[in-house]
Amino acid sequence: MFRAVRLLLKVVLGFVLVSILWVGLYAVVPPPFTFTMLGDTLAGHSVTKDWTPLSDIDPDMARAAIAGEDSKFCTHHGFDWGAIAGAAMRNAEGGRIRGGSTISQQTAKNAFLFQGGGYVRKVLEAWFTLLIETIWGKKRIMEVYLNIAETGIGTYGVEAGAQRYFGHSAARLTPTEAGRIAAVLPLPKKREAVSPTGFVRRHGNTIARYVGIVRRSGLDACLR
């Protein structure tokens, strides 16, 4: 029994050390590949990505992400407990399952983990979220998020998304274009940012209108 406990402690300690080193490495090195990208590759899709520093991405893209995904990004410490509680209540009432993940949580999942996995993945996601909030800070979190988030089938990052949908770099995104990419982020395999119709068009236009509010209200202050 004592030997088993000791072995478990060694495994846990090893995981903690490796995860801290992994997060520390990605604080300065762009994540080269993710499990989601691997899944696309195994499914027969080519992967298109083009790492772009946050300073070379139009600020309205980050504002659109904040408007569409996580309005409290600059003020929370990785978790929006109000959003999590609200999502839990909606899910308990039935209907379409919705999450309460912040941009930090999504970045932790995208960079270090896999899609699905239930509660095990959620526990790991929480751990990596704490690490990136502590080691990276908000600018790096947003930079990684905007570079590895899936923006279409086999397309990763807003630079690749901007080139795919609009034929120019992410440095030249308009608020409308940024809003449409942000509208695609929750379901990138089912939505298109170019010539969108229905929900994507409406939601993208709504996000585009909120871009200015994010800027004027200082909701992106941690990125300036």
Side-chain angles (χ1 to χ4, degrees), residues 162-174:
Q163 294 288 353
R164 169 178 175 169
Y165 297 122
F166 309 117
H168 59 73
S169 75
R172 295 170 46 212
L173 287 170
T174 66

Side-chain angles (χ1 to χ4, degrees), residues 168-212:
H168 59 73
S169 75
R172 295 170 46 212
L173 287 170
T174 66
T176 297
E177 292 169 343
R180 289 182 178 177
I181 290 178
V184 165
L185 291 175
L187 288 171
K189 284 183 167 56
K190 296 182 179 180
R191 298 176 180 174
E192 287 276 340
V194 63
S195 300
T197 58
F199 174 80
V200 176
R201 185 179 187 86
R202 293 194 304 273
H203 189 45
N205 289 342
T206 298
I207 292 174
R209 289 196 296 272
Y210 276 103
V211 163

Side-chain angles (χ1 to χ4, degrees), residues 68-70 76 78-80 83-84 87 98-107 109 121-122 125:
E69 296 288 298
D70 183 5
H76 65 59
F79 307 93
D80 184 347
I84 292 172
R98 299 185 60 182
S101 294
T102 62
I103 286 175
S104 300
Q105 288 174 273
Q106 294 177 50
T107 304
K109 177 187 69 178
R121 197 217 71 207
K122 278 294 185 183
E125 178 186 295

Side-chain angles (χ1 to χ4, degrees), residues 23 26-27 54 73-74 76-77 103-104 107 128-145 222-223:
V23 171
Y26 281 4
L54 186 63
F73 173 71
C74 281
H76 65 59
H77 299 289
I103 286 175
S104 300
T107 304
F128 278 105
T129 299
L130 289 172
L131 288 182
I132 65 174
E133 281 279 342
T134 302
I135 297 174
W136 291 2
K138 296 293 187 179
K139 286 186 178 180
R140 181 60 173 178
I141 290 172
M142 182 61 77
E143 182 173 62
V144 173
Y145 176 71
C222 61
L223 303 177

